[in-house]
């Protein structure tokens, strides 16, 4: 069963038909009009197995089902609130453009938007795989440490040879350590909301989005990627909210000169639009989307380079056990 890691309520904002979306495929080097049902989705990304559901439900009392994550959490709670918030931001943008009002989001409103940004980031398969892999490697490291301690304390080397591994229900584990961990979500959101929000307006529906729409640009090199890079020192998080609105979130400590712009809606220059679109293109895993079906920037870069770039997110992790056996690859 296909399940979206980027919700259709978001993708529809970049569609002129609400059923399909103009798409550039970096892998196959072609553009086409794709069904919204066919992009930014993975088979059974959130589906819980029958055994997991059975083992976690009490006798004669169904608490969860196979689609609890997708249906009960995302479809009925997260995505309706997300769509409503984006519509409210659209209204604020229109008031800025018409001169009716120049309302700036307060901290609570910024944090609400940040919660959706973090949730979206955690839903991305690449990020989910990283988080699950980190957790499993940490658990394996802990098991090895316990085996080593037992072998040393008892003098019995057989403890070192015990075959013990970590198994998990991946959708449930991913959910529990990311978008269903409310404390962790709020910690991330607080850190992001404390930074400088600038909204860029394109009157021509020019902003791209992609299957990896949230990108952090490090303006300072060799910095620890705090909060998985989303709120690191010298970082700029960019995220297109619609074809005519893109968000930059600047680290408040490094970008002190931009503090007076916090909460502003600013007309984006052609250069600014290209910069945002370039980031979407560079970090896209496969698909880039354009409301206008204008992929001239991508086609120009491909013509010059002869290939498409595939950049990884600005997030590296290292888990080291006491035995120094578990390190993620650079």
């Amino acid at each position: 069963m296909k399940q979206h890691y980027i919700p259709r309520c978001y993708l529809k904002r970049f569609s002129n038909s609400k059923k399909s979306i103009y798409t550039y495929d970096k892998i196959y080097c072609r553009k086409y009009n794709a069904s919204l049902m066919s992009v930014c989705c993975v088979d059974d990304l959130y589906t819980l197995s029958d055994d997991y559901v059975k083992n976690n439900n009490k006798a004669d009392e169904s608490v969860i089902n196979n689609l609890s994550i997708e249906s009960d959490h995302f479809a009925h709670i997260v995505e309706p609130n997300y769509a409503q918030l984006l519509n409210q931001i659209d209204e604020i943008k229109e008031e800025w453009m018409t001169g009716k009002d120049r309302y700036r989001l307060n901290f609570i409103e910024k944090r609400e938007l940040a919660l959706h940004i973090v949730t979206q980031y955690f839903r991305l398969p690449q990020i989910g795989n990283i988080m699950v892999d980190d957790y499993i490697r940490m658990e394996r490291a802990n098991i090895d440490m316990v085996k080593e301690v037992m072998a040393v304390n008892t003098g019995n080397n057989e403890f070192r040879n015990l075959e013990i591994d970590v198994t998990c229900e991946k959708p449930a584990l991913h959910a529990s350590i990311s978008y269903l961990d409310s404390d962790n979500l709020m910690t991330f959101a607080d850190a992001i909301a404390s930074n400088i929000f600038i909204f860029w307006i394109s009157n021509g529906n020019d902003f791209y989005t992609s299957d990896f729409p949230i990108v952090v640009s490090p303006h300072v090199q060799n910095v620890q990627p705090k909060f998985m890079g989303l709120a690191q020192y010298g970082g700029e998080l960019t995220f297109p909210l619609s074809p005519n609105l893109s968000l930059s979130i600047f680290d408040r400590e490094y970008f002190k000169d931009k503090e007076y712009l916090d909460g502003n809606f600013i007309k984006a220059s052609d250069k600014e639009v290209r910069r945002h679109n370039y980031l979407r293109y560079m970090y896209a895993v496969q698909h880039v989307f354009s409301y206008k079906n204008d992929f001239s920037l991508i086609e120009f870069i491909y013509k010059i380079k002869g290939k498409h770039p595939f950049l990884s997110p600005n997030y590296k992790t290292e888990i080291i056990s006491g035995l120094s056996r578990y390190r993620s690859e650079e």
Side-chain angles (χ1 to χ4, degrees):
M1 178 180 180
K2 295 289 185 183
Q3 296 172 333
H4 283 78
Y5 52 87
I6 295 181
R8 279 179 290 164
C9 68
Y10 171 82
L11 292 173
K12 283 180 181 179
R13 295 169 66 82
F14 293 84
S15 165
N16 63 2
S17 70
K18 308 306 179 186
K19 293 183 178 179
S20 60
I21 188 167
Y22 291 121
T23 304
Y24 189 95
D25 191 314
K26 288 170 62 175
I27 293 178
Y28 295 100
C29 302
R30 66 189 184 97
K31 59 183 179 181
Y32 52 90
N33 200 17
S35 165
L36 287 173
M37 297 297 293
S38 68
V39 295
C40 301
C41 52
V42 175
D43 286 337
D44 294 321
L45 181 63
Y46 313 114
T47 302
L48 301 172
S49 68
D50 291 339
D51 286 343
Y52 184 86
V53 170
K54 180 180 178 180
N55 293 333
N56 284 272
N57 282 336
K58 298 178 182 178
D60 301 322
E61 184 181 349
S62 296
V63 178
I64 62 172
N65 59 60
N66 303 94
L67 299 179
S68 285
I69 296 175
E70 180 186 38
S71 179
D72 297 344
H73 182 62
F74 285 124
H76 291 157
I77 300 175
V78 173
E79 291 171 13
N81 290 332
Y82 186 31
Q84 182 180 20
L85 176 61
L86 291 176
N87 288 335
Q88 290 170 345
I89 293 174
D90 285 343
E91 293 175 5
I92 295 172
K93 179 205 70 179
E94 290 301 320
E95 291 177 348
W96 273 75
M97 292 178 65
T98 60
K100 180 179 179 181
D101 192 10
R102 294 203 165 186
Y103 182 77
R104 290 178 171 86
L105 300 186
N106 61 40
F107 177 81
I108 300 300
E109 292 164 334
K110 288 166 66 176
R111 186 172 65 184
E112 183 180 357
L113 178 54
L115 280 168
H116 286 290
I117 292 173
V118 176
T119 298
Q120 174 60 87
Y121 196 69
F122 285 167
R123 289 178 75 172
L124 297 172
Q126 300 86 348
I127 301 303
N129 289 339
I130 288 171
M131 297 182 79
V132 169
D133 183 60
D134 282 358
Y135 182 91
I136 290 175
R137 287 186 295 113
M138 180 64 79
E139 289 299 300
R140 286 174 176 162
N142 289 337
I143 290 171
D144 280 353
M145 286 294 295
V146 171
K147 286 159 61 176
E148 182 67 17
V149 169
M150 292 299 295
V152 171
N153 289 345
T154 65
N156 185 352
N157 288 330
E158 289 303 313
F159 280 106
R160 294 188 176 96
N161 299 323
L162 290 174
E163 295 292 334
I164 305 174
D165 202 359
V166 179
T167 60
C168 72
E169 178 83 1
K170 185 176 178 180
L173 175 59
H174 177 202
S176 68
I177 62 177
S178 61
Y179 48 76
L180 289 187
D181 185 341
S182 57
D183 290 339
N184 194 35
L185 274 178
M186 191 60 73
T187 300
F188 272 69
D190 280 340
I192 293 171
S194 298
N195 286 326
I196 298 167
F197 283 47
I198 297 178
F199 297 88
W200 303 101
I201 301 172
S202 165
N203 293 331
N205 292 316
D206 296 311
F207 287 118
Y208 292 167
T209 193
S210 75
D211 55 9
F212 199 97
I214 299 169
V215 173
V216 176
S217 301
H219 292 262
V220 179
Q221 299 302 313
N222 301 317
V223 172
Q224 181 183 2
K226 294 175 62 178
F227 301 99
M228 297 180 74
L230 299 179
Q232 70 183 41
Y233 177 75
E236 177 197 359
L237 185 159
T238 57
F239 179 41
L241 303 179
S242 75
N244 53 39
L245 190 64
S246 192
L247 172 63
S248 287
I249 304 178
F250 293 93
D251 166 51
R252 185 175 296 275
E253 185 178 355
Y254 181 76
F255 292 99
K256 294 178 181 178
D257 61 323
K258 298 184 184 296
E259 191 158 354
Y260 75 101
L261 295 173
D262 191 11
N264 279 20
F265 287 70
I266 300 173
K267 176 67 171 68
S269 65
D270 291 343
K271 181 178 180 180
E272 188 68 28
V273 171
R274 285 195 301 272
R275 185 176 74 91
H276 283 247
N277 288 347
Y278 181 74
L279 290 171
R280 241 47 60 196
Y281 164 55
M282 296 289 282
Y283 284 87
V285 178
Q286 182 173 2
H287 295 138
V288 182
F289 308 112
S290 167
Y291 181 90
K292 297 170 60 176
N293 196 24
D294 178 4
F295 298 104
S296 54
L297 173 65
I298 294 175
E299 292 167 334
F300 175 74
I301 295 173
Y302 181 72
K303 184 176 181 179
I304 293 175
K305 294 182 175 293
K307 61 181 181 180
H308 292 301
F310 292 87
L311 296 188
S312 299
N314 181 42
Y315 171 58
K316 295 181 180 179
T317 181
E318 184 176 74
I319 294 179
I320 306 175
S321 76
L323 304 178
S324 301
R325 288 179 53 192
Y326 300 96
R327 292 184 174 84
S328 62
E329 295 183 359
E330 294 295 323

